[in-house]
């Protein structure tokens, strides 16, 4: 009986593995098709000056309109794209789209930078610097209109390649931001030696700072250290007015989060922006419900 139970477990395990492999292959095929059919979309979330309420920039976040599953978030497909080597193609689509959107918004009189995420693989393969120069020229914008974001863990994992590519990117005028800061507990002293401009504090720290005095003290100290190292400090994941006030009182200059606006498709973002500009150019809380 034990033997047959073992065999059944093995069969179940094998079936489970096969199911997973086939699901993965299907998703990979669908993602390749999505790239060809352009079933991808960027959503935009504002970066707000906490002192004045002005919009200082915008972050582009990738979405995939899956034919059966609807709107997919990066967590549903970026890891797969990284594994199967599609991430560079995906990243190139994002870059091209960001350059296009930047040109459109600049023509409409908006001067903010667009930040976009890159995967560490994009630092390793191809020449990201040359590609940014090429695409910005093609769309008639400057590299200084762009900001690239890498996660803290990506920078730490690829620190040697990262440092030289990031230095070259800054050399052509691109702003460099490290997001998810604090999530990997890397040393600020080490990060400060890398060629970066902006540190974005991970949203879980912002949430915890709201309810826990010790966490609040940590965030306050990180902000002070960041300023000492002449880095621009930003807070991610602001969901309430209290969090915005708290971060502002800690001297954090820039913030992003559902409190101001969720990430929105380009046209909806423009409408949101126009409404803000009508209401004296200041950012005000989003009227949309939180998750
Ligand atoms: P990230 O760069 O840290 O982006 C912020 C994430 O937090 C976004 O999730 C955004 O929707 C979410 N967010 C914004 N405000 C709030 C808030 O107030 N509360 C909470 N709980 N969350 C908030 P999203 O869009 O799912 O993106 C997740 C991550 O996927 C991004 O983290 C980024 O690392 C990655 N990513 C997004 N777009 C791209 C891309 O084009 N290429 C690559 N390689 N990675 C991307």
């Amino acid at each position: 009986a034990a033997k047959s139970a073992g065999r059944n477990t093995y069969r179940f395990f094998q079936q489970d593995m096969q199911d997973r492999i086939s699901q993965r292959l299907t998703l990979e095929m669908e993602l390749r098709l999505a790239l060809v059919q352009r079933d991808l979309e960027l959503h935009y979330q504002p970066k707000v000056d906490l002192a004045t309420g002005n919009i200082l920039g915008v972050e582009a976040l990738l979405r995939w309109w899956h034919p059966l599953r609807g709107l997919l978030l990066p967590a549903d497909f970026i890891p797969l794209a990284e594994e199967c080597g599609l991430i560079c193609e995906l990243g190139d689509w994002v870059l091209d789209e960001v350059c296009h959107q930047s040109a459109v918004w600049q023509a409409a009189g908006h001067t903010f930078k667009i930040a976009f995420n890159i995967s560490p693989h994009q630092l390793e393969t191809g020449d990201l610097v040359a590609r940014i120069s090429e695409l910005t020229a093609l769309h008639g914008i400057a590299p200084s209109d762009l900001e690239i974001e890498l996660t803290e863990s990506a920078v730490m994992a690829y620190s040697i390649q990262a440092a030289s590519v990031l230095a070259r990117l800054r050399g052509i005028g691109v702003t460099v931001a490290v997001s998810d800061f604090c999530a990997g507990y890397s040393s600020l002293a080490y990060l400060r030696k890398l060629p970066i401009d902006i540190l974005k504090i991970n949203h879980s720290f912002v949430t915890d700072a709201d309810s826990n005095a010790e966490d609040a003290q940590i965030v306050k100290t990180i902000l002070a250290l960041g300023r000492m190292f002449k880095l621009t400090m930003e807070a991610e994941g602001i969901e309430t007015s209290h969090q915005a006030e708290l971060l502002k009182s800690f001297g954090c200059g820039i913030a992003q989060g559902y409190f101001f606006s969720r990430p929105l498709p380009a046209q909806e973002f423009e409408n949101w922006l126009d409404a803000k500009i009508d209401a004296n150019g200041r950012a005000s809380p989003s009227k949309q419900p939180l998750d």
Side-chain angles (χ1 to χ4, degrees):
K3 236 183 191 173
S4 95
R7 255 200 310 271
N8 283 339
T9 310
Y10 177 70
R11 269 200 212 111
F12 176 75
F13 176 72
Q14 228 188 4
Q15 187 58 49
D16 188 50
M17 280 288 282
Q18 271 169 5
D19 287 350
R20 275 188 215 198
I21 291 168
S22 100
Q23 274 167 11
R24 220 195 84 124
L25 284 174
T26 308
L27 196 67
E28 183 181 331
M29 220 172 57
E30 289 170 341
L31 188 54
R32 283 185 197 280
L33 200 65
L35 265 163
V36 177
Q37 296 181 341
R38 300 293 189 240
D39 291 335
L40 303 164
E41 190 171 85
L42 291 178
H43 284 190
Y44 297 89
Q45 189 179 37
K47 295 187 179 209
V48 176
D49 181 337
L50 278 174
T52 64
N54 290 335
I55 287 120
L56 297 179
V58 54
E59 179 178 2
L61 295 153
L62 186 58
R63 305 289 183 254
W64 171 14
W65 282 103
H66 188 279
L68 300 173
R69 293 162 63 197
L71 191 70
L72 298 186
L73 294 172
D76 301 320
F77 61 94
I78 293 274
L80 170 80
E82 284 180 332
E83 269 173 50
C84 70
L86 276 176
I87 192 67
C88 290
E89 224 179 303
L90 214 55
D92 200 61
W93 181 86
V94 170
L95 175 60
D96 190 34
E97 186 63 19
V98 159
C99 290
H100 161 75
Q101 194 57 64
S102 173
V104 170
W105 281 338
Q106 282 191 31
H110 302 302
T111 52
F112 45 72
K113 287 179 199 284
I114 305 187
F116 62 101
N117 292 272
I118 62 162
S119 151
H121 297 279
Q122 290 173 268
L123 295 179
E124 282 185 308
T125 43
D127 192 346
L128 184 64
V129 187
R131 190 66 181 143
I132 289 182
S133 301
E134 187 186 347
L135 282 175
T136 48
L138 200 72
H139 287 275
I141 62 162
S144 58
D145 296 323
L146 301 180
E147 177 181 315
I148 65 145
E149 259 189 36
L150 272 161
T151 62
E152 176 195 34
S153 53
V155 175
M156 297 307 282
Y158 292 83
S159 55
I160 293 171
Q161 293 102 309
S164 80
V165 181
L166 298 184
R168 287 171 57 219
L169 284 170
R170 281 177 99 204
I172 61 166
V174 177
T175 301
V176 176
V178 170
S179 65
D180 260 358
F181 181 63
C182 293
Y185 301 97
S186 66
S187 140
L188 184 55
Y190 176 73
L191 271 186
R192 131 191 122 88
K193 294 196 182 122
L194 291 173
I196 59 179
D197 305 286
I198 298 173
L199 265 192
K200 296 181 72 175
I201 301 179
N202 179 261
H203 66 84
S204 64
F205 273 76
V206 171
T207 311
D208 294 347
D210 202 11
S211 52
N212 180 312
E214 256 173 42
D215 285 322
Q217 193 54 46
I218 292 174
V219 170
K220 211 168 162 180
T221 308
I222 289 168
L223 284 165
L225 275 173
R227 277 197 303 275
M228 204 172 85
F229 294 146
K230 307 237 170 348
L231 293 167
T232 299
M233 301 299 283
E234 294 186 11
E236 301 182 311
I238 301 276
E239 295 188 357
T240 65
S241 63
H242 186 249
Q243 288 168 352
E245 282 306 319
L246 191 69
L247 268 292
K248 190 169 129 186
S249 75
F250 291 170
C252 181
I254 304 172
Q256 206 179 332
Y258 297 163
F259 174 62
F260 305 106
S261 168
R262 288 180 159 278
L264 300 170
Q267 185 57 55
E268 280 178 51
F269 179 75
E270 269 177 56
N271 299 344
W272 179 87
L273 206 57
D274 288 345
K276 294 291 151 264
I277 291 166
D278 286 347
N280 76 14
R282 288 168 57 90
S284 66
S286 147
K287 298 272 184 304
Q288 299 152 71
L290 302 179
D291 271 340

